[in-house]
Amino acid sequence: MNFPTIVTLALGLVLAENLVLSQGLGVRPMLNAPARLAHGVLLSALNGVAVIAASLVSWVLNAFVYAPNGLELLQTPSVVVCIILFELLLDLLLTKLAPTLRETLGANLHLYTLNTATLGAALVLTGSTASLGEAAIASAAAAVGLLLAALLFHSLRSYHRFTDHPRSFDGLPLALISAGLVALVLTGFVF
Amino acid sequence: MAKKLKKLAPQPEVVETVETTAVDASVDASTELSPEEGLDRSRSAGAPDGAGEPNAADTPETSDNAETQDERTDSAAGQADADASAVEPALPSATNARRPLPISLPRVLLDGIVRKNPVLVAGLGLVPALLLADAAAALAVGVCTTLALLVTSLAASLCGQYLPEKFRPALFTLIAAGAAVALEFAIGELLPDLMPRIGIFVALIAVGGLTLSRAEYSTARPPLDALVDAFANGIGYTLALTLIGALREIVGRGSIFGVDVTFGVLPPMNALTTAAGGFILVGLLAGAIQGLRLSRARRRAAKVSKKSNDKEVSA
């Protein structure tokens, strides 16, 4: 795989095929993101790590175990188990190393590790990538795309505090509509 | 941040007697949007997720209970089942000898379909709503989600309280993943044409917010409560998905269930079939529902204030 292909693949997954804004995966964590930007970015980064881990495990299992034996159906539960183990490991590490941070994150840790973005990315990328390296690059790009979406959602939310919108659009409807407009902008990158 | 969440969702803290997890609180934080909504929820007996029924059975409520009396006489068979389940020591409430009415079926159905619609009010399980511009596929995903919800809620109701609290979400997700695999297999055998279109959405049921929030709600509730709630939410989800899918198919492709309906008069608006169009359409529908709720709450408040004014005048 040459350099231009890698760049196209990565940029495509960050902008044109952004996990959240173009593929509609993992919207709930974005909508429920904490008010502090640092927490939001940290949780999205964790989500990104989960996406990478899930994609790689899913790719390896699919290539060497499931596809040769016709067991593709088992991909979903295996990714779920993998992410649960990742979450337990993370929980253990954070409880040992940064107990205050763990307490602050609370149940959000689960929301940000085991969500539709993680499983969706693992399933989609396993189907669309040809090699393990390609899957690694694609999942890393997808993780960066998650961070970008988290930043966009945060800035939109902080902007909404000052807008004069109808009360019936307060909250979820406004968040969705503005996310839709951003997604419409990102479709400009489809080439 | 936990403090922040509590600030955002003060209502459950006041109403709840049953302990809820922080996941519920975070879900509520997204759904508790306005003071009116909070009022509305506290007024209804089955208040927010995870609150509710034990309270409703213990504390007499005037108009609501009158309404539930009628429902009780309507569903005799349901009541028999309900009594059978009420004997089970599943509720954490102290006075769970024999609850006269564990659930009110029409209210739970109304909650699931309109008042707390999973997609349009709570914003849960958005992936198929944002991506499927195809009424038939949306209907199929909705039915699959309902089946998965029934299985997960029943399992959560039966064994949820015996699981350690920390691992509950993970274990519920595993149960849902099992249900999703079974559904994928069934669709692959029964409707192989539909499989490529909806396969990934059926897999995503496992980690969707809807299954988890309903499983959390069903924990330590009698199985019948859990099943009715899962059914109501499943129906609400299916209806919302099918409505969104049909609208997007009609406007975006000019057909419904694959049948051409515009006869070439209207050009198809392809933007609505993309995720961006899905975001905007779901947002508009959610805004419409929220607007209806707000105007209804305002009318009710006006009626109450008018009544109190009349009383003062007559006194």
Side-chain angles (χ1 to χ4, degrees):
Chain A
M1 206 162 57
N2 53 5
F3 185 68
T5 326
I6 293 173
V7 173
T8 317
L9 179 72
L11 272 183
L13 271 159
V14 173
L15 294 170
E17 290 169 44
N18 188 292
L19 270 191
V20 183
L21 292 164
S22 307
Q23 304 192 33
L25 298 166
V27 179
R28 193 166 67 107
M30 297 294 158
L31 294 177
N32 292 350
R36 268 185 65 184
L37 180 61
H39 286 166
V41 168
L42 177 70
L43 285 170
S44 292
L46 284 181
N47 201 352
V49 177
V51 164
I52 296 172
S55 304
L56 293 183
V57 168
S58 172
W59 197 93
V60 169
L61 281 177
N62 191 52
F64 297 109
V65 185
Y66 297 151
N69 299 309
L71 296 169
E72 280 91 349
L73 274 180
L74 291 180
Q75 222 176 330
T76 309
S78 59
V79 174
V80 169
V81 170
C82 159
I83 297 299
I84 287 175
L85 291 178
F86 173 74
E87 189 189 328
L88 290 180
L89 184 72
L90 208 62
D91 182 44
L92 204 69
L93 277 178
L94 283 179
T95 316
K96 290 271 182 222
L97 300 177
T100 36
L101 181 67
R102 177 72 192 89
E103 210 170 293
T104 323
L105 296 181
N108 273 7
L109 188 63
H110 177 78
L111 180 68
Y112 273 84
T113 44
L114 197 52
N115 55 30
T116 46
T118 329
L119 182 59
L123 296 181
V124 169
L125 295 180
T126 304
S128 65
T129 48
S131 67
L132 186 61
E134 202 179 319
I137 293 166
S139 56
V144 176
L146 274 180
L147 273 180
L148 175 74
L151 284 174
L152 282 173
F153 267 82
H154 182 270
S155 52
L156 284 174
R157 207 173 29 242
S158 46
Y159 181 67
H160 288 157
R161 261 183 266 148
F162 308 106
T163 53
D164 183 21
H165 52 266
R167 278 197 68 199
S168 52
F169 280 85
D170 233 358
L172 177 73
L174 195 63
L176 286 178
I177 291 173
S178 40
L181 294 175
V182 175
L184 208 55
V185 171
L186 288 188
T187 52
F189 288 100
V190 179
F191 43 86
Chain B
M1 194 174 59
K3 278 181 190 169
K4 181 77 187 172
L5 284 177
K6 277 178 190 169
K7 266 186 209 166
L8 278 171
Q11 205 53 48
E13 297 297 315
V14 181
V15 187
E16 281 176 15
T17 50
V18 188
E19 56 171 343
T20 50
T21 62
V23 169
D24 258 349
S26 71
V27 168
D28 280 340
S30 72
T31 56
E32 291 279 342
L33 302 167
S34 61
E36 271 83 352
E37 194 175 316
L39 279 176
D40 202 4
R41 284 191 174 192
S42 65
R43 218 178 288 133
S44 70
D49 296 355
E53 270 72 26
N55 233 358
D58 295 342
T59 57
E61 281 191 35
T62 52
S63 61
D64 287 349
N65 265 11
E67 199 181 312
T68 52
Q69 287 280 353
D70 296 342
E71 291 149 11
R72 204 178 308 173
T73 48
D74 284 348
S75 55
Q79 194 191 1
D81 281 352
D83 281 345
S85 66
V87 178
E88 289 185 18
L91 274 173
S93 160
T95 57
N96 62 348
R98 269 178 81 85
R99 290 190 307 154
L101 184 71
I103 42 164
S104 107
L105 190 63
R107 170 168 304 134
V108 175
L109 281 177
L110 192 68
D111 268 359
I113 294 170
V114 184
R115 273 190 288 198
K116 293 181 200 162
N117 188 290
V119 181
L120 298 175
V121 178
L124 297 169
L126 281 172
V127 183
L130 296 175
L131 290 183
L132 277 176
D134 180 349
L139 183 66
V141 172
V143 172
C144 288
T145 310
T146 310
L147 293 174
L149 271 181
L150 287 172
V151 173
T152 321
S153 290
L154 186 64
S157 159
L158 292 175
C159 58
Q161 57 185 327
Y162 305 112
L163 304 173
E165 201 176 334
K166 202 172 169 187
F167 303 116
R168 254 183 228 161
L171 292 170
F172 290 154
T173 313
L174 263 185
I175 295 170
V181 170
L183 284 167
E184 267 186 279
F185 179 72
I187 292 170
E189 293 292 313
L190 300 174
L191 302 162
D193 300 342
L194 217 53
M195 193 56 192
R197 280 191 280 163
I198 68 167
I200 187 159
F201 300 111
V202 177
L204 288 176
I205 292 172
V207 290
L210 184 57
T211 27
L212 190 59
S213 81
R214 288 304 100 198
E216 294 277 356
Y217 171 88
S218 303
T219 309
R221 277 193 162 70
L224 189 74
D225 279 22
L227 285 179
V228 168
D229 173 74
F231 182 70
N233 274 283
I235 295 290
Y237 189 68
T238 310
L239 286 178
L241 272 196
T242 315
L243 173 73
I244 294 164
L247 277 176
R248 293 177 69 182
E249 199 183 341
I250 291 172
V251 182
R253 297 207 175 118
S255 64
I256 181 157
F257 289 105
V259 184
D260 182 29
V261 285
T262 55
F263 305 109
V265 178
L266 280 175
M269 288 169 58
N270 285 328
L272 208 62
T273 58
T274 62
F279 270 114
I280 294 173
L281 182 69
V282 176
L284 288 176
L285 287 174
I289 286 210
Q290 200 163 299
L292 284 178
R293 290 164 58 109
L294 283 178
S295 69
R296 196 156 159 256
R298 215 174 290 140
R299 269 207 307 275
R300 205 183 282 170
K303 212 186 270 178
V304 169
S305 66
K306 199 182 166 194
K307 262 186 192 172
S308 60
N309 279 347
D310 288 351
K311 268 184 190 172
E312 279 173 17
V313 169
S314 63

